[in-house]
Amino acid sequence: MKIYDELVARGLIAQVTDEDEIRDLVNEGKATFYIGFDPTADSLHVGHFMALCLMKRLQMAGNKPVALIGGGTGYIGDPSGRSDMRSMMTPEQIQHNCDCFKEQMSRFIEFGEGKAQMVNNADWLLDLNYIDLLREVGACFSVNNMLRAECYKQRMEKGLSFLEFNYMIMQSYDFYHLYKEYGCNMQFGGDDQWSNMLGGTELIRKKLGKDAYAMTITLLLNSEGKKMGKTASGAVWLDPKKTSPYEFYQYWRNVGDADVLKCIRMLTFLPLEEIDKMDEWEGSQLNTAKEILAFELTKLVHGEEEAEKAQTTARAIFAGAGSHENMPTTELSADDFTDGKIGLLSMMVKAGLAASNGEARRLVQQGGVSINDEKITDPAYSLEVSAFDDEIILKKGKKIFNKYIVK
């Protein structure tokens, strides 16, 4: 099976503009394609997984990825799927986040001469002359057509700033610039990016002629993939300092029965023949599938050794036996205690098990929290510092564990 057919079989392709040409370019390893990443944090999260895995698959087939970091568009913010305006970041924040991305991406794609490239659109967007941009690019866009785009329609009632209105033009200019300077002939993005991506394809053809080879593809469920990165207690990051390998493993181990095989097909590199056999699995076999998914993705991000540690720990905890050595651990200091005590709600927030005291209080009142297997329903519950001389393990729900130590 050739790579384009494999992408379709894995459920990764939603829409294309020129399918026959795209299929030929991708299958022959002649595509130089880009995917954009907005540097809104200092780590990628699991919502980026689909794009990263796609880049890896296409590079393995001989195609050249361009990872575009939105250091320039990060000053604006994409209105797609948003109900409010994105907070503005400083140049220093944007640059720091850009630097963090490349290290994480290197686990998926190989950078170097003739291989993958990382570029930052700040290098060309920040130097644009406003009048020149209006004349060269603005004349190619119809405001009427832009307002019909779904990404803008969602925001019209609640308010759309002129700053954000320019995002489509900036993203379109990215593709135009990459086409001219890097020979980039294809762009990929989520289904929520379709209007912006079409803008880039049309700009190239209007400026350089209809024969310009600019192709557009969207990824199925990529906007849903972005939601994968968020949980009740925050984001699931690829940076082990923000989300431990064990927590990362547990996130995928806990996906729903209806989603596990879809995730295995879309995100792992297991052969399709092997995955097809899993389609008949049900009942307890789905738990085995979840372990496979969690192990494969943890191995991809954190390496095989960490994946094995996470799996061993998860199985031991589930069985109620074994070592808690690799369990997520939160260190408490003297500053965390008041009059020698620390409240349960503070412990949960400190460990990232709840985003706020209010959320922690609701979890406790609903009976979803226990300490050393004793259910705690009193939000005012607290522990003295001496209690931490022994092992203290907090359990949230049925499957999330956290150990506490005092330094």
Side-chain angles (χ1 to χ4, degrees):
M1 181 182 295
K2 293 189 176 181
I3 182 61
Y4 185 83
D5 295 324
E6 181 179 349
L7 298 180
V8 172
R10 289 184 180 272
L12 290 169
I13 304 298
Q15 299 181 80
V16 299
T17 54
D18 306 88
E19 186 167 42
D20 291 340
E21 292 87 345
I22 288 171
R23 180 187 289 107
D24 290 343
L25 282 175
V26 167
N27 286 343
E28 294 172 10
K30 295 181 179 179
T32 297
F33 66 96
Y34 94 88
I35 298 179
F37 298 83
D38 279 338
T40 52
D42 59 1
S43 173
L44 299 167
H45 57 68
V46 299
H48 295 110
F49 236 117
M50 194 174 299
L52 294 169
C53 292
L54 177 77
M55 296 174 84
K56 182 178 177 70
R57 295 184 205 280
L58 288 172
Q59 186 176 47
M60 290 169 63
N63 299 284
K64 294 181 180 179
V66 177
L68 173 65
I69 304 299
T73 42
Y75 284 87
I76 298 175
D78 180 7
S80 298
R82 299 182 59 83
S83 59
D84 57 353
M85 184 174 172
R86 176 180 294 171
S87 59
M88 299 290 285
M89 295 184 293
T90 66
E92 292 76 19
Q93 286 176 311
I94 293 172
Q95 186 56 53
H96 171 71
N97 294 349
C98 291
D99 293 339
C100 294
F101 279 15
K102 186 170 185 178
E103 181 179 353
Q104 294 176 359
M105 288 181 181
S106 295
R107 282 194 170 272
F108 293 82
I109 55 178
E110 187 176 359
F111 291 96
E113 187 174 351
K115 299 175 183 177
Q117 301 178 76
M118 174 173 280
V119 296
N120 186 336
N121 62 16
D123 293 341
W124 56 86
L125 292 182
L126 298 187
D127 292 331
L128 287 175
N129 177 281
Y130 185 63
I131 298 299
D132 289 344
L133 179 69
L134 289 177
R135 290 173 60 87
E136 182 180 1
V137 180
C140 298
F141 286 83
S142 163
V143 171
N144 290 344
N145 289 339
M146 292 175 71
L147 291 175
R148 282 193 287 268
E150 193 63 33
C151 61
Y152 291 133
K153 286 168 62 177
Q154 295 174 359
R155 290 289 308 280
M156 288 301 292
E157 291 184 4
K158 295 185 177 181
L160 176 70
S161 73
F162 185 70
L163 179 71
E164 293 173 296
F165 188 66
N166 279 271
Y167 192 91
M168 180 185 292
I169 295 176
M170 296 293 97
Q171 183 170 330
S172 300
Y173 189 86
D174 283 343
F175 194 17
Y176 175 61
H177 178 87
L178 292 174
Y179 181 90
K180 290 196 305 177
E181 302 298 327
Y182 295 89
C184 183
N185 51 21
M186 195 176 298
Q187 60 177 332
F188 285 75
D191 52 3
D192 59 334
Q193 292 286 314
W194 184 243
S195 296
N196 292 342
M197 295 166 65
L198 287 178
T201 297
E202 289 303 308
L203 177 61
I204 290 173
R205 294 179 179 178
K206 286 179 179 178
K207 296 294 293 182
L208 304 176
K210 293 183 179 179
D211 293 333
Y213 237 36
M215 309 297 180
T216 301
I217 291 182
T218 68
L219 307 182
L220 181 64
L221 297 177
N222 197 34
S223 57
E224 178 179 313
K226 292 178 181 178
K227 298 174 186 176
M228 290 181 183
K230 298 292 183 181
T231 67
S233 60
V236 180
W237 305 101
L238 306 194
D239 184 345
K241 296 177 183 177
K242 298 168 78 71
T243 298
S244 72
Y246 171 79
E247 292 171 305
F248 187 85
Y249 177 95
Q250 281 295 93
Y251 173 80
W252 294 108
R253 175 62 180 82
N254 294 333
V255 300
D257 289 354
D259 295 325
V260 58
L261 294 179
K262 177 173 64 178
C263 288
I264 288 177
R265 189 175 299 275
M266 299 174 83
L267 302 177
T268 76
F269 287 79
L270 296 175
L272 281 170
E273 296 80 4
E274 182 177 338
I275 299 172
D276 287 341
K277 295 176 182 178
M278 298 180 189
D279 284 338
E280 305 299 322
W281 288 10
E282 56 186 21
S284 62
Q285 289 177 306
L286 292 179
N287 288 327
T288 301
K290 293 176 185 181
E291 284 198 337
I292 292 172
L293 172 68
F295 182 85
E296 290 296 322
L297 297 189
T298 305
K299 180 175 70 173
L300 186 62
V301 174
H302 299 295
E304 188 163 5
E305 182 179 352
E306 290 296 336
E308 290 175 349
K309 285 182 182 179
Q311 188 170 74
T312 299
T313 300
R315 288 175 173 175
I317 292 174
F318 182 78
S323 171
H324 295 155
E325 178 184 356
N326 298 313
M327 185 183 295
T329 300
T330 299
E331 294 185 359
L332 302 176
S333 68
D335 293 338
D336 294 310
F337 292 82
T338 301
D339 296 329
K341 295 182 178 181
I342 183 171
L344 175 59
L345 305 187
S346 296
M347 290 173 61
M348 294 176 66
V349 173
K350 177 80 174 180
L353 299 177
S356 65
N357 283 343
E359 180 183 323
R361 180 177 291 103
R362 287 190 294 274
L363 289 169
V364 172
Q365 291 173 334
Q366 292 166 4
V369 177
S370 63
I371 291 182
N372 291 352
D373 293 327
E374 178 186 350
K375 183 176 291 187
I376 308 297
T377 57
D378 181 6
Y381 182 88
S382 63
L383 287 171
E384 295 185 358
V385 67
S386 59
F388 294 88
D389 293 340
D390 299 319
E391 189 172 65
I392 297 294
I393 295 178
L394 189 151
K395 180 181 178 183
K396 171 187 168 184
K398 295 181 179 180
K399 300 177 181 178
I400 299 177
F401 295 80
N402 196 87
K403 182 167 62 177
Y404 292 84
I405 59 175
V406 175
K407 287 291 187 179

